[in-house]
Amino acid sequence: MNYMPGTASLIEDIDKKHLVLLRDGRTLIGFLRSIDQFANLVLHQTVERIHVGKKYGDIPRGIFVVRGENVVLLGEIDLEKESDTPLQQVSIEEILEEQRVEQQTRLEAEKLKVQALKDRDDEATAFS
Amino acid sequence: MLPLNPIVVILHKEPQETKARRYQRILEEHLGLQSLVFEDISYESSLEDCPLDEDEDAFQGLGEEDEEIDQFNDDTFGSGAVDDDWQEAHERLAELEEKLPAAVNEQTGNGERDEMDLLGDHEENLAERLSKMVIENELEDPAIMTAVQTRPVLQPQPGSLNSSIWDGSEVLRRIRGPLLAQEMPAVSVLEYALPQRTPQAPEDDRDLSERALPRRSTSPVIGSPPVRAVPIGTPPKQMAVPSFNQQILCPKPVHVRPPMPPRYPAPYGERMSPNQLCSVPNSSLLGHPFPPSVPPVLSPLQRAQLLGGAQLQPGRMSPSQFARVPGFVGSPLAAAMNPKLLQGRVGQMLPPAPGFRAFFSAPPPATPPPPQQHPPGPGPHLQNLRSQAPMFRPDTTHLHPQHRRLLHQRQQQNRNQHRNLNGAGDRGSHRSSHHDHLRKDPYANLMLQREKDWVSKIQMMQLQSTDPYLDDFYYQNYFEKLEKLSAAEEVQGDGPKKERTKLITPQVAKLEHTYKPVQFEGSLGKLTVSSVNNPRKMIDAVVTSRSEDDETKEKQVRDKRRKTLVIIEKTYSLLLDVEDYERRYLLSLEEERPALMEERKHKICSMYDNLRGKLPGQERPSDDHFVQIMCIRKGKRMVARILPFLSTEQAADILMTTARSLPFLIKKDAQDEVLPCLLSPFSLLVYHLPSVTVTSLLQQLMNLPQSAAAPAPSNPHLTAVLQNKFGLSLLLVVLSRGEDLQSSDPAAESTQNNQWTEVMFTATQELLRIPQAALAKPLSIPTNLVSLFSRYVDRQKLNLLETKLQLVQGIR
């Protein structure tokens, strides 16, 4: 049955493996089991995938119910091509560590930037 | 005098009802008997008696509704049957399916009730019996759930089915969810769900009418399943009381379930006629002592056979488990229902509920691909879209007969459809792999077909619109373009027609609603209530115009720009309207068309006025207004779109103005680079211009001095024009047009000719002067320029010009 051709209805995506990107930046991969009109999703055998650089790690999460408004995008995963990735899978601990490191570097860079701006501002006021 | 809803009446008096009376009532309402003498029933002997307090007449009313229902079921009255070979039953079922008549047309409104029971009437009866078995709240009370799950086999039945099979409480909970989604509560799996009654259930003596609403919160907003006034498990109105069946399972007296709300499913007449059901090829069904209007009775054995046969996925329920089913001798309904229900449920959603442990121990290892089992099963690619795995017949006993019918129809439709489409193009291989995956996926089809349809229905409702062109312009246009493209391709290629399924959105007629504000009675004066239809002014904003003197130069400039923007917006609206007239013209009636044309003309005039500024006097005002518009990116695009609608004169005027101010516009366009979009409409226009205009245009473009007197040392105007892509392209187009005119009409008026020649001479001089490095790359180079220049310059200069302007292909 061709559900609503030409539209972005999720009905035909049911029972297929999907990658869902959430607004908070998380990436979930799971089988889409159920939807509703708000695009709330029920994901089964969900795995949260953390990407850092060329590495990724999977955290098994079980069943997810995602409120539709928090979804940025989602797409079907081609099971045949799924393993065809240049990315390297690592253990959960490792990826979490990598993520922490990345977060830290980002924060430090941010801090430096803020400091630089502040200094410039101080300079400017000093001259005027 | 009968109460309107006799069931209600009964309910209130229920606690005092004798068992016998209750059964009598159940049978009467359920089976449509006018008066049933209960004493002969063997069951009664095992039942306790309670005092009766009801009005017997009430039952008659009930009975009238259910004339077509089977009256004496062996399931109910006789002893349970021993199960037969399920395969045999399956074959019989297969025959049955062939014989089932095509019922009513599928109604989309009933689409939710799409689980069709292939066994027809027998399932109906079963369903009704099943409905009696469910006690709603028991399903929710966790204490009961756990109790149910751990409780041993129900006592009265020897070798009865292991209660663990019944412990699909969680399954049922899940079942309930989607079922709530039905707007027509006709079929609720819960109603037919597994019995939760346990022998020790303390709430047996509860008055079901006082049962609270289901724990699960249901909001009345769309997006949740509809709120039900009565607990979910309440059976349909025509369905009788659960207590009867509960009696089967446990000897304690059970109260009648609360009545169904009036908004119950289709009246009985809409169901499959019993005569149709009589066509079931089971001999024991015929020759019943009761009137032929009553559907034949299935012996428990036959019922079990049929049910067993319906189980086409042995993996789902191993034969050993199935063997246990008919062990439920005393509760033939339960027996018959259970495997079917579970199997059906299991087929549609295989929940890992602990209650189903018993089942699931078997299924996972023994889940062969269903299509192999079931001969008429559709191809593997079907599985993808069909939530009801057509490979086996789902248990639809619990469903409303109409729902079942529709479901069956739909299944058959889809089966046929998919059989036809089998192997269609790219579907095949991709689908088959996917289907393999789905087939092995035990969690597939958790979302029922019904639920998918429900969501789909909501989504379609959201697409309802009175004027799709207004509401969904881009979608409509896009698909129109697609269709035109495919139509064009078809005409050309004459290949196989690609069927592009188009979404047909529901069209809603425009209704004129006159809003009448709410009026309160007894209030002094008129209280105005502000609502979305009747908005009230909240802020009293007064516009104060500033005096001119106060404004600074900057403000003036800003205001002017803002005014220009406003003009652009207004003109754009006019433009969109004008562009839409063609479509409206096609849709309109004959009488309306002249009026439409008038409107269109009027709008075009307004657009032009807006572009050039209102007529202050006879002469057009300065070009300033137009130039201001052209400085804004949107303005340029708009002019490009307006040009085709203008008359030649008006368009020529625009073009001239542009040519005059071209350097300025070029400077302003440096960031946007939108001018080239004007080239196309300008070119089109130029090719319609007469010679005179072309000449003057060329003069304008190149800022050539009016007289052939000593030319200025430098021509910044021309330089600017030549350095800009658009400018150069436009120039070349004009030159080309001039050449066309010249060559096509050599006998033209000499004055014109002379003028043109003069201009051309000057033009070539200017062109020769310009250093090549300064030239831009034009968008397109007309081919006749070489011949043009050859008229006016000698060989050497011609070569020079050619090189400079890159007129010869080889140089490029």
Side-chain angles (χ1 to χ4, degrees):
Chain A
M1 223 200 292
N2 205 0
Y3 278 99
M4 302 177 72
T7 63
S9 163
L10 286 170
I11 293 178
E12 306 213 357
D13 285 323
I14 285 182
D15 289 335
K16 297 183 188 164
K17 195 164 186 183
H18 278 74
L19 184 143
V20 181
L21 187 65
L22 300 179
R23 269 164 57 174
D24 63 359
R26 275 189 278 186
T27 308
L28 301 177
I29 295 174
F31 289 91
L32 185 62
R33 291 297 177 199
S34 186
I35 56 154
D36 69 355
Q37 67 271 31
F38 306 114
N40 294 332
L41 316 169
V42 172
L43 294 170
H44 179 231
Q45 293 172 352
T46 317
V47 142
E48 180 181 335
R49 186 163 287 185
I50 301 178
H51 288 272
V52 178
K54 287 257 179 196
K55 301 187 194 160
Y56 71 90
D58 286 345
I59 305 174
R61 294 288 194 190
I63 299 178
F64 254 83
V65 174
V66 182
R67 190 178 164 94
E69 64 172 340
N70 294 307
V71 174
V72 171
L73 54 87
L74 67 98
E76 188 187 338
I77 292 178
D78 189 337
L79 295 165
E80 288 150 25
K81 296 184 183 167
E82 194 181 3
S83 39
D84 218 7
T85 169
L87 304 172
Q88 175 207 4
Q89 178 161 22
V90 297
S91 71
I92 299 173
E93 297 81 23
E94 193 180 333
I95 200 70
L96 285 171
E97 178 60 28
E98 295 255 356
Q99 194 184 40
R100 194 189 58 80
V101 167
E102 188 195 44
Q103 189 83 341
Q104 206 155 0
T105 42
R106 204 178 333 134
L107 278 171
E108 278 168 22
E110 194 67 34
K111 234 191 276 182
L112 285 172
K113 225 196 287 178
V114 168
Q115 191 59 36
L117 285 170
K118 238 197 265 179
D119 291 340
R120 199 187 302 168
D121 192 37
D122 290 342
E123 273 178 36
T125 49
F127 278 124
S128 64
Chain B
M1 45 119 214
L2 285 175
L4 273 170
N5 189 348
I7 298 177
V8 175
V9 170
I10 293 165
L11 204 60
H12 288 324
K13 306 204 177 182
E14 169 224 329
Q16 298 146 339
E17 187 185 6
T18 64
K19 196 128 305 195
R21 278 315 277 143
R22 193 177 311 124
Y23 288 134
Q24 183 172 357
R25 180 169 34 79
I26 291 162
L27 285 169
E28 282 172 338
E29 53 187 68
H30 179 72
L31 305 175
L33 301 177
Q34 291 300 316
S35 62
L36 176 63
V37 176
F38 214 96
E39 288 74 25
D40 294 338
I41 310 297
S42 57
Y43 254 94
E44 208 185 34
S45 55
S46 65
L47 309 169
E48 301 162 319
D49 277 344
C50 310
L52 173 67
D53 209 6
E54 287 134 309
D55 183 7
E56 200 149 347
D57 289 342
F59 303 137
Q60 314 292 338
L62 295 172
E64 279 154 10
E65 292 173 305
D66 293 352
E67 287 173 90
E68 298 163 330
I69 297 192
D70 177 18
Q71 297 176 12
F72 282 163
N73 284 307
D74 286 351
D75 285 349
T76 314
F77 301 94
S79 55
V82 180
D83 74 320
D84 217 345
D85 182 8
W86 63 269
Q87 272 163 336
E88 199 184 325
H90 164 50
E91 274 159 27
R92 233 174 274 146
L93 260 186
E95 292 169 38
L96 195 63
E97 188 194 12
E98 306 302 312
K99 290 199 181 170
L100 269 181
V104 298
N105 296 331
E106 179 174 12
Q107 303 155 20
T108 47
N110 294 325
E112 295 138 358
R113 309 179 315 181
D114 56 358
E115 291 183 61
M116 184 65 172
D117 174 33
L118 301 171
L119 296 184
D121 171 55
H122 312 293
E123 302 312 321
E124 242 176 67
N125 293 330
L126 216 65
E128 284 139 25
R129 270 159 198 85
L130 294 181
S131 71
K132 303 166 196 166
M133 293 197 195
V134 182
I135 299 295
E136 158 68 2
N137 271 7
E138 290 185 340
L139 297 173
E140 289 177 295
D141 188 339
I144 297 168
M145 293 304 218
T146 46
V148 163
Q149 284 170 15
T150 53
R151 133 183 94 77
V153 169
L154 302 174
Q155 340 129 296
Q157 325 308 334
S160 59
L161 191 59
N162 193 323
S163 64
S164 64
I165 293 175
W166 302 98
D167 295 342
S169 47
E170 290 171 50
V171 174
L172 292 169
R173 214 177 297 195
R174 205 172 298 110
I175 294 172
R176 188 179 326 151
L179 290 172
L180 279 185
Q182 284 186 31
E183 283 151 38
M184 290 273 277
V187 188
S188 164
V189 167
L190 281 185
E191 298 165 10
Y192 306 87
L194 304 170
Q196 291 296 311
R197 273 288 161 203
T198 71
Q200 73 266 27
E203 56 286 327
D204 281 353
D205 294 312
R206 256 192 348 219
D207 183 1
L208 293 176
S209 62
E210 290 155 11
R211 206 189 292 160
L213 275 176
R215 207 159 295 137
R216 182 161 149 275
S217 66
T218 55
S219 72
V221 189
I222 193 166
S224 320
V227 178
R228 294 167 60 118
V230 288
I232 311 269
T234 55
K237 189 155 66 167
Q238 290 93 349
M239 307 309 167
V241 179
S243 57
F244 174 64
N245 287 332
Q246 255 126 29
Q247 281 303 318
I248 300 169
L249 297 175
C250 42
K252 285 196 189 171
V254 174
H255 295 300
V256 181
R257 324 182 84 227
M260 270 309 290
R263 67 164 193 274
Y264 214 75
Y268 217 51
E270 287 184 41
R271 303 184 188 174
M272 229 190 295
S273 92
N275 290 322
Q276 294 171 324
L277 301 170
C278 281
S279 64
V280 170
N282 195 324
S283 58
S284 73
L285 306 178
L286 307 168
H288 202 274
F290 281 84
S293 65
V294 170
V297 181
L298 261 188
S299 76
L301 168 63
Q302 290 143 359
R303 193 176 297 270
Q305 285 173 356
L306 287 168
L307 291 173
Q311 171 216 318
L312 306 179
Q313 272 186 322
R316 304 247 187 237
M317 177 153 65
S318 66
S320 59
Q321 285 169 335
F322 190 75
R324 277 186 281 173
V325 169
F328 235 145
V329 167
S331 64
L333 290 175
M337 170 205 77
N338 255 344
K340 194 138 175 65
L341 172 68
L342 290 170
Q343 156 215 312
R345 288 293 116 220
V346 156
Q348 282 144 20
M349 65 188 195
L350 291 170
F356 275 98
R357 257 173 267 119
F359 276 107
F360 278 82
S361 53
T367 315
Q372 295 154 16
Q373 298 282 333
H374 182 53
H381 62 272
L382 180 64
Q383 177 64 5
N384 183 28
L385 297 174
R386 298 281 303 132
S387 67
Q388 300 249 261
M391 278 66 91
F392 66 96
R393 295 195 197 135
D395 173 27
T396 47
T397 53
H398 45 277
L399 299 176
H400 189 281
Q402 192 164 13
H403 186 146
R404 245 179 277 143
R405 195 165 40 239
L406 293 166
L407 174 65
H408 176 56
Q409 280 173 354
R410 189 177 289 193
Q411 276 181 339
Q412 290 208 311
Q413 269 176 25
N414 282 322
R415 235 169 269 161
N416 293 336
Q417 178 190 344
H418 285 276
R419 245 181 250 134
N420 294 338
L421 295 173
N422 196 351
D426 44 279
R427 298 249 224 120
S429 57
H430 169 69
R431 286 292 167 86
S432 59
S433 67
H434 179 77
H435 279 287
D436 284 340
H437 171 78
L438 264 185
R439 243 176 278 143
K440 291 167 193 158
D441 183 5
Y443 298 99
N445 301 327
L446 272 168
M447 196 171 182
L448 305 175
Q449 185 65 36
R450 176 177 39 223
E451 291 155 11
K452 291 183 189 176
D453 292 338
W454 178 70
V455 174
S456 181
K457 189 173 145 193
I458 292 178
Q459 290 175 330
M460 290 296 281
M461 263 166 50
Q462 291 169 342
L463 293 180
Q464 270 178 1
S465 107
T466 51
D467 187 2
Y469 258 96
L470 209 64
D471 297 332
D472 208 359
F473 176 77
Y474 293 102
Y475 178 88
Q476 301 288 336
N477 270 45
Y478 174 68
F479 270 92
E480 262 183 29
K481 274 192 213 164
L482 274 182
E483 274 171 25
K484 277 184 202 160
L485 239 136
S486 63
E489 277 171 17
E490 266 172 49
V491 167
Q492 290 171 0
D494 207 35
K497 245 193 183 175
K498 237 198 227 174
E499 267 192 44
R500 191 170 289 147
T501 41
K502 188 183 175 185
L503 181 68
I504 300 167
T505 51
Q507 293 255 327
V508 175
K510 249 187 216 171
L511 291 170
E512 290 296 321
H513 295 281
T514 46
Y515 172 74
K516 272 179 76 185
V518 171
Q519 288 182 342
F520 297 100
E521 293 184 20
S523 60
L524 288 172
K526 286 193 175 181
L527 285 173
T528 43
V529 176
S530 175
S531 75
V532 71
N533 297 318
N534 180 29
R536 178 171 55 189
K537 199 172 181 185
M538 296 295 281
I539 300 174
D540 207 2
V542 177
V543 176
T544 51
S545 54
R546 290 163 292 162
S547 65
E548 292 286 327
D549 302 334
D550 292 346
E551 287 177 14
T552 63
K553 187 99 198 303
E554 280 173 14
K555 273 194 183 174
Q556 278 176 342
V557 166
R558 202 187 336 138
D559 283 347
K560 192 161 190 197
R561 187 179 169 88
R562 285 191 186 155
K563 277 186 193 146
T564 315
L565 290 172
V566 167
I567 290 170
I568 289 177
E569 289 305 319
K570 285 189 191 155
T571 317
Y572 227 113
S573 310
L574 288 171
L575 172 64
L576 290 173
D577 276 341
V578 168
E579 281 179 349
D580 206 31
Y581 268 104
E582 192 184 316
R583 181 185 68 89
R584 280 175 65 185
Y585 196 83
L586 292 169
L587 291 173
S588 68
L589 310 163
E590 277 301 320
E591 312 86 52
E592 294 170 8
R593 287 185 181 183
L596 280 178
M597 294 304 288
E598 271 306 307
E599 272 178 42
R600 186 173 173 271
K601 258 186 224 161
H602 182 75
K603 286 196 175 162
I604 293 173
C605 283
S606 324
M607 280 200 299
Y608 181 69
D609 287 338
N610 283 352
L611 277 183
R612 289 298 265 128
K614 288 279 161 67
L615 273 168
Q618 290 190 356
E619 284 289 326
R620 278 279 177 214
S622 68
D623 297 341
D624 190 48
H625 185 99
F626 178 72
V627 167
Q628 286 300 317
I629 291 177
M630 287 291 272
C631 287
I632 296 169
R633 167 183 250 249
K634 193 169 183 180
K636 283 177 268 213
R637 287 201 176 272
M638 185 180 69
V639 169
R641 273 172 83 166
I642 287 180
L643 268 171
F645 294 106
L646 297 175
S647 71
T648 317
E649 288 160 7
Q650 290 172 327
D653 187 31
I654 299 267
L655 180 53
M656 288 296 251
T657 320
T658 314
R660 270 197 294 270
S661 356
L662 198 49
F664 180 69
L665 293 176
I666 286 171
K667 191 176 77 172
K668 287 286 182 178
D669 192 49
Q671 199 179 34
D672 297 331
E673 294 183 25
V674 173
L675 275 176
C677 75
L678 285 163
L679 185 66
S680 167
F682 276 151
S683 311
L684 221 63
L685 170 66
V686 163
Y687 285 111
H688 288 95
L689 288 179
S691 171
V692 179
T693 327
V694 174
T695 316
S696 50
L697 183 59
L698 185 60
Q699 267 183 321
Q700 289 294 330
L701 261 179
M702 299 182 75
N703 199 19
L704 301 168
Q706 290 295 332
S707 64
S714 70
N715 193 345
H717 181 113
L718 182 60
T719 319
V721 167
L722 292 175
Q723 278 177 343
N724 179 260
K725 200 180 219 178
F726 167 71
L728 181 56
S729 314
L730 186 61
L731 180 64
L732 294 176
V733 162
V734 172
L735 289 171
S736 168
R737 172 64 178 160
E739 171 60 16
D740 282 341
L741 287 169
Q742 283 286 301
S743 55
S744 61
D745 200 6
E749 279 189 33
S750 55
T751 43
Q752 283 176 12
N753 239 353
N754 287 343
Q755 243 179 347
W756 174 252
T757 319
E758 277 177 34
V759 167
M760 271 313 296
F761 272 125
T762 335
T764 45
Q765 274 178 353
E766 294 286 345
L767 283 172
L768 285 166
R769 275 206 292 166
I770 300 287
Q772 184 165 3
L775 288 177
K777 185 177 167 199
L779 287 166
S780 64
I781 295 188
T783 47
N784 54 0
L785 288 178
V786 177
S787 55
L788 168 73
F789 286 123
S790 61
R791 289 171 199 262
Y792 306 104
V793 290
D794 57 22
R795 188 88 208 147
Q796 194 188 21
K797 287 185 180 162
L798 180 64
N799 287 338
L800 209 63
L801 268 175
E802 279 176 2
T803 329
K804 200 176 274 185
L805 296 173
Q806 296 173 356
L807 297 176
V808 180
Q809 286 298 325
I811 295 174
R812 280 264 185 110

